[in-house]
Amino acid sequence: AIYAVIDSRLGDAAGRRALVVITDGVDNGSRIQMEKMIELAQQHQTTIYAIGLRLPPNELPIQEPSQRKAVKVLEKISEETGGSFFQVRKANDIETAFRKIADYLLGSYVLAFRPADQSSGGGIHRIRVETTRRDAVVLFQRGYYAPVR
């Protein structure tokens, strides 16, 4: 579903693109691999914020492998696209998650750069962003998409 939304709705959208996914984390038969979905999000410069509902249930430690996998997948999708993952265990946690997402969106900066070597082929190229400020939260896409020339 995430792939379809990015591909059909956000791909040509003007301006900044952010997608908030609210899910129980259960994969209901995805046909697209996670890496392909992350690549599409990076290609279309879409930041994904994932909100995991009731993971784990009843505030107990995660017991089932499927629950552990769901959390890891949501964390990876969010991290790779410059977003964040939030676990919602209580009703007021969802309000906190949305406040943090709003803070990230309203208080963020956009950095641009031109790679020194532009001769490399297309595809995703890995990057890293660091700051010396200890109080700063750094969220960034872990790569950028370079078209084939």
Side-chain angles (χ1 to χ4, degrees):
I2 297 171
Y3 187 95
V5 169
I6 294 169
D7 192 42
S8 67
R9 301 286 183 195
L10 297 177
D12 295 328
R16 192 165 173 192
R17 291 173 284 285
L19 180 63
V20 178
V21 178
I22 303 172
T23 180
D24 62 3
V26 177
D27 186 349
N28 293 313
S30 294
R31 287 181 252 165
I32 305 295
Q33 291 180 341
M34 177 182 60
E35 289 78 15
K36 188 79 173 159
M37 191 275 308
I38 290 170
E39 183 177 320
L40 182 73
Q42 290 174 332
Q43 187 175 1
H44 291 291
Q45 298 177 358
T46 301
T47 302
I48 298 174
Y49 297 93
I51 299 175
L53 300 176
R54 302 179 58 73
L55 290 173
N58 304 322
E59 297 190 47
L60 296 174
I62 296 175
Q63 300 297 320
E64 296 181 31
S66 63
Q67 288 177 315
R68 282 194 295 276
K69 182 179 179 187
V71 168
K72 289 194 179 299
V73 166
L74 294 171
E75 287 174 336
K76 182 164 179 71
I77 289 169
S78 298
E79 179 180 294
E80 291 289 326
T81 63
S84 287
F85 168 67
F86 304 91
Q87 283 194 23
V88 174
R89 297 180 182 150
K90 298 177 284 199
N92 64 342
D93 287 349
I94 197 159
E95 182 179 343
T96 301
F98 274 107
R99 283 187 200 277
K100 285 184 178 179
I101 292 168
D103 287 346
Y104 291 151
L105 292 172
L106 294 171
S108 62
Y109 295 89
V110 176
L111 302 175
F113 74 97
R114 182 177 304 253
D117 180 13
Q118 295 186 18
S119 64
S120 63
I124 297 296
H125 298 268
R126 306 297 287 174
I127 62 170
R128 186 175 71 213
V129 177
E130 297 176 345
T131 181
T132 56
R133 287 188 48 190
R134 296 191 191 285
D135 62 336
V137 176
V138 179
L139 300 175
F140 63 97
Q141 288 189 353
R142 301 303 193 241
Y144 68 93
Y145 179 78
V148 177
R149 295 184 186 232

